[in-house]
Amino acid sequence: MVFQNAALFDSLTIGENVGFLLYEHSDLDPGVIRALVTECLARVGLRGVEHLYPSQLSGGMKKRVALARAVVSDVRHGRRKDNAVQPVEQVIMYDEPTAGLDPVASTVVEDLMRSLHEPYKRLVAAAARAAEAEKGM
């Protein structure tokens, strides 16, 4: 779930925010989690921000962190008995993910949302502006 205001934990670093689910609900080694977090942040164009806190980021950067947090996952859950990777279908829901952003930043976030959804991930978005809905966000 990606919330309208990004809903990041102020007292955690960006890396800890993105990896929160895995740190709390998986038995992955912390080094593996950090690598997954770094990869997800890179996918949304935020390399090297793991050590920063939410207050140090712009609104658009916070939205991209929320996107990274939504798509980070324990890839082992998508493995078959023969250890081959099998896609795990996910539904990612967005609550007005571009609210409060200027048109350029909104377009960047919308493009990122579309690019992050491989065939096995489904997208549900609530949009207040008709233009967003018409673009097929």
Side-chain angles (χ1 to χ4, degrees), residues 1-62:
M1 178 77 175
V2 178
F3 297 97
Q4 185 175 7
N5 65 355
L8 301 175
F9 296 109
D10 293 336
S11 61
L12 299 180
T13 65
I14 297 307
E16 293 165 336
N17 266 284
V18 174
F20 186 79
L21 177 69
L22 298 179
Y23 285 119
E24 294 297 317
H25 299 286
S26 79
D27 58 356
L28 287 174
D29 181 76
V32 172
I33 295 173
R34 284 191 297 276
L36 289 169
V37 166
T38 299
E39 177 187 330
C40 283
L41 286 168
R43 289 176 67 193
V44 297
L46 293 174
R47 292 184 191 277
V49 300
E50 294 87 348
H51 65 285
L52 299 177
Y53 286 87
S55 62
Q56 297 174 286
L57 302 181
S58 69
M61 291 172 81
K62 288 177 186 176

Side-chain angles (χ1 to χ4, degrees), residues 54-127:
S55 62
Q56 297 174 286
L57 302 181
S58 69
M61 291 172 81
K62 288 177 186 176
K63 299 275 186 177
R64 290 186 281 160
V65 169
L67 287 173
R69 182 181 56 196
V71 299
V72 71
S73 62
D74 180 353
V75 294
R76 295 170 310 154
H77 287 188
R79 295 207 180 261
R80 299 189 311 235
K81 288 181 183 176
D82 64 0
N83 211 29
V85 174
Q86 177 180 345
V88 176
E89 187 162 321
Q90 290 181 299
V91 175
I92 299 177
M93 300 186 336
Y94 298 90
D95 175 23
E96 296 190 28
T98 59
L101 297 179
D102 63 70
V104 173
S106 292
T107 301
V108 169
V109 169
E110 291 162 1
D111 290 346
L112 281 169
M113 287 169 54
R114 280 189 289 273
S115 72
L116 291 174
H117 292 281
E118 294 105 320
Y120 56 91
K121 292 186 181 172
R122 303 295 176 242
L123 158 69
V124 176

